[in-house]
């Protein structure tokens, strides 16, 4: 049986490897790749491309990965001093997000990917969570390094996510923004400590699930398996 082909959106950043230093590259954390492979899927990296979303026609599923902030102009706000958008990802991945929903292609949003799904369906974001909750729970210091936080997420018992994760999810978190208005999605998970929306899903699509945390850091998470399983049933 052919493995489901799962597209993964990527960064476009200077990178260093072997003989190369600060070389422009399209790249992604290998943990995403390994998670899809472990779940039985065939990962394919999707570099930013804002021409069209035709690549979705040859995919069985899509992961909108984490990364930089979304330009707040896309949801009608002025930019907060702490907001750091990447316009090239916004334009390219908005096409993919809308195209996946229009095709009813199984899609999993991770961190930025969750925020993007909210924005492209008419929602909005909290631009800087410390202004809202007065803590750095969701993105602890030091801020110039990758330092994941940990907290629990309460999951709606009537949701698909509850079927996947159970009543409470332990999360690995690295975000200073969060969904304020989920657009066409339904919130299904909330941070136990402060009530921030941590997960949402579409009530009208076969599989459109999004989480604010980083499941790719957890080898035992069932989220990627659920995406690959949904992608096998096209």
């Amino acid at each position: 049986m052919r493995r489901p082909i799962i597209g993964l959106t990527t960064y476009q950043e200077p990178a260093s490897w072997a003989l190369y230093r600060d070389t422009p590259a399209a790249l992604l954390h290998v943990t995403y790749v390994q998670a899809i492979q472990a779940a039985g899927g065939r990962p394919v990296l999707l570099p930013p491309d804002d021409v069209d979303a035709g690549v979705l026609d040859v995919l069985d599923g899509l992961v909108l990965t984490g990364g930089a902030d979304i330009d707040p102009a896309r949801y009608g706000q002025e930019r907060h001093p702490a907001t750091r958008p990447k316009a090239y990802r916004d334009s390219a991945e908005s096409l993919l997000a809308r195209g996946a929903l229009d095709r009813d292609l199984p899609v999993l949003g991770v961190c930025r990917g969750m925020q993007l799904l909210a924005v492209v369906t008419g929602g909005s974001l909290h631009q800087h969570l410390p202004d809202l909750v007065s803590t750095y729970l969701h993105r602890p210091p030091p801020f110039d390094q990758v330092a994941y936080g940990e907290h629990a997420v309460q999951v709606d018992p009537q949701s698909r996510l509850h079927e996947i994760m159970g009543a409470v999810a332990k999360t690995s978190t690295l975000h200073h923004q969060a969904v304020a208005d989920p657009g066409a999605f339904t919130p299904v998970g909330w941070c136990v400590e402060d009530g921030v929306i941590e997960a949402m899903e579409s009530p009208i699509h076969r599989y459109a699930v999004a989480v604010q945390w980083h499941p790719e850091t957890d080898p035992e998470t069932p989220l990627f398996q659920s995406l690959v399983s949904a992608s096998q049933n096209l």
Side-chain angles (χ1 to χ4, degrees), residues 2-222:
R2 178 179 69 82
R3 289 184 292 166
I5 300 172
I6 309 298
L8 300 161
T9 57
T10 69
Y11 298 75
Q12 185 173 297
E13 300 287 348
S16 300
W17 71 97
L19 301 178
Y20 300 94
R21 295 293 178 270
D22 295 324
T23 301
L27 73 166
L28 184 66
H29 310 80
V30 73
T31 48
Y32 283 101
V33 172
Q34 292 169 335
I36 294 298
Q37 290 172 329
R42 177 67 166 94
V44 174
L45 301 189
L46 304 176
D49 183 332
D50 63 0
V51 176
D52 59 57
V55 68
L56 297 173
D57 294 336
V58 296
L59 298 179
D60 300 307
L62 174 69
V63 180
L64 297 164
T65 64
D69 301 330
I70 297 165
D71 189 340
R74 290 182 174 267
Y75 48 95
Q77 294 183 13
E78 297 294 325
R79 187 182 300 182
H80 187 285
T83 297
R84 301 287 186 271
K86 295 284 188 180
Y88 69 87
R89 287 195 69 178
D90 290 349
S91 55
E93 293 176 21
S94 293
L95 280 175
L96 293 177
R98 292 190 185 98
L101 294 175
D102 288 346
R103 291 166 171 79
D104 203 12
L105 187 75
V107 58
L108 173 65
V110 173
C111 196
R112 168 196 161 84
M114 170 168 156
Q115 296 166 9
L116 184 72
L117 286 167
V119 170
V120 301
T121 59
S124 63
L125 307 180
H126 297 296
Q127 287 194 54
H128 195 53
L129 276 177
D131 294 346
L132 179 71
V133 301
S134 301
T135 72
Y136 293 102
L137 173 68
H138 298 271
R139 184 181 179 181
F143 302 121
D144 60 345
Q145 299 178 24
V146 175
Y148 291 101
E150 295 182 357
H151 64 73
V153 170
Q154 186 69 45
V155 180
D156 185 338
Q158 302 303 314
S159 65
R160 176 191 288 269
L161 187 65
H162 188 276
E163 297 173 1
I164 299 168
M165 301 290 297
V168 178
K170 299 295 185 181
T171 70
S172 183
T173 177
L174 185 68
H175 63 104
H176 79 109
Q177 299 193 332
V179 169
D181 177 346
F185 281 73
T186 299
V188 295
W190 301 265
C191 176
V192 170
E193 286 87 340
D194 56 28
V196 167
I197 298 173
E198 288 282 332
M200 62 185 198
E201 57 192 45
S202 170
I204 62 172
H205 292 87
R206 290 184 305 110
Y207 187 101
V209 175
V211 298
Q212 188 59 74
W213 66 88
H214 284 272
E216 76 280 5
T217 65
D218 179 6
E220 298 183 1
T221 182

